[in-house]
């Protein structure tokens, strides 16, 4: 059977990763969370004093960027893939608010994007991959056979993210989650390098009023249709 590339883009907390994991699990494909890679760079700059008074020390980051080792490894404890930075499992740390607040300092930097896009393209070289992010259908895999663009109303997204963080035991209030999501939407769509845009050939799914299961069925229908078509080519 032909293996394809599935690109899932959209705003923060739109259920992209839930859908990507469901599709990858169902199809036996590899799931790659591209946002985790930007989060790993953000963690690095926070931990290494490359952010001062909310400003990124870009020259300092440029000196170490080439040497940053970001990869994914199966974690036998959770049974899931975990993000590794320079030989250390950072899956927990990169999900916190501290990293969320700093990630849009590093994600607009063209050199950071160039490095991570290259890595992402290498991860997807063999196809059979589901990758989620902001520029997957437009920049990383412009020839992906399936491109989905996820949306949901901002208040729905904030509630989802708040519950997710609470479930993980984070000390967080809804107002700061709303503020963080609004700020990241603005940063993601207005940055000069590879801003978040819907690819012209992407199919939009608004999941504000549907369950994760309904969303999965919808997306799987789209994927199966494409698989049937490429199988005949
Ligand atoms: O998907 P996420 O919220 O974990 O992503 C974290 C940040 O990384 C987000 O604010 C935007 C950025 N990002 C990006 O610029 N390009 C991607 N392909 C994925 C994420």
């Amino acid at each position: 059977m032909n293996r394809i590339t599935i690109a899932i883009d959209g705003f923060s907390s739109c259920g992209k990763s839930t859908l990507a994991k469901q599709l990858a699990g169902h199809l036996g494909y590899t799931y790659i969370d591209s946002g985790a890679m930007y989060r790993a760079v953000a963690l690095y700059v926070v931990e290494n004093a490359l952010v001062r008074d909310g400003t990124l020390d870009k020259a300092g980051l440029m000196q170490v960027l080439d040497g940053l080792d970001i990869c994914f490894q199966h974690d036998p404890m959770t049974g899931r893939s975990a993000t590794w930075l320079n030989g250390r499992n950072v899956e927990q740390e990169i999900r916190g608010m501290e990293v969320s607040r700093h990630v849009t300092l590093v994600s607009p930097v063209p050199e950071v994007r160039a490095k991570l896009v290259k890595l992402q393209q290498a991860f997807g070289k063999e196809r059979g991959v589901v990758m989620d992010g902001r520029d997957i259908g437009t920049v990383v895999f412009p020839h992906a056979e399936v491109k989905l663009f996820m949306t949901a109303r901002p208040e729905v997204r904030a509630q989802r993210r708040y519950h997710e963080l609470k479930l993980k035991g984070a000390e967080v209030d809804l107002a700061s989650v709303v503020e963080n999501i609004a700020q990241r939407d603005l940063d993601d769509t207005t940055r000069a390098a590879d801003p978040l845009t819907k690819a012209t050939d992407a199919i939009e799914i608004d999941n504000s009023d549907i369950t994760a299961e309904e969303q999965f069925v919808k997306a799987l229908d789209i994927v199966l249709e494409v698989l049937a078509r490429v199988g005949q080519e």
Side-chain angles (χ1 to χ4, degrees), residues 11-104:
F11 292 96
S12 304
S13 304
C14 251
K16 299 185 298 293
S17 67
T18 304
L19 177 63
K21 283 179 208 158
Q22 285 170 313
L23 287 174
H26 186 87
L27 299 164
Y29 281 17
T30 304
Y31 163 59
I32 306 278
D33 173 359
S34 71
M37 301 168 75
Y38 289 91
R39 286 174 178 271
V41 177
L43 179 67
Y44 184 90
V45 299
V46 168
E47 286 187 338
N48 290 277
L50 292 175
V51 182
R52 278 180 293 273
D53 299 326
T55 304
L56 174 70
D57 171 3
K58 190 177 163 192
L61 176 58
M62 289 307 104
Q63 283 178 10
V64 294
L65 185 64
D66 271 356
L68 289 192
D69 176 23
I70 298 168
C71 63
F72 297 99
Q73 286 187 33
H74 180 76
D75 181 349
M77 298 282 281
T78 61
R80 300 203 199 120
S81 164
T83 312
W84 284 62
L85 169 66
N86 293 342
R88 173 176 139 227
N89 182 336
V90 293
E91 188 56 36
Q92 289 291 326
E93 287 101 316
I94 61 167
R95 305 295 165 188
M97 283 302 280
E98 175 79 352
V99 166
S100 293
R101 268 193 288 268
H102 289 95
V103 68
T104 50

Side-chain angles (χ1 to χ4, degrees), residues 163-190:
H163 285 300
E164 205 178 282
L165 287 165
K166 278 286 186 198
L167 276 179
K168 286 184 187 155
E171 286 288 323
V172 66
D173 61 286
L174 182 60
S176 50
V177 174
V178 170
E179 193 187 309
N180 179 253
I181 285 191
Q183 187 61 49
R184 284 201 290 147
D185 284 358
L186 185 72
D187 292 344
D188 287 346
T189 49
T190 56

Side-chain angles (χ1 to χ4, degrees), residues 137-163:
T138 50
V139 176
V140 181
F141 299 126
H143 304 297
E145 289 84 353
V146 173
K147 296 182 188 178
L148 302 174
F149 190 84
M150 316 301 299
T151 62
R153 292 190 296 277
E155 66 276 17
V156 174
R157 294 193 279 132
Q159 279 289 350
R160 283 183 190 153
R161 181 88 185 119
Y162 174 71
H163 285 300

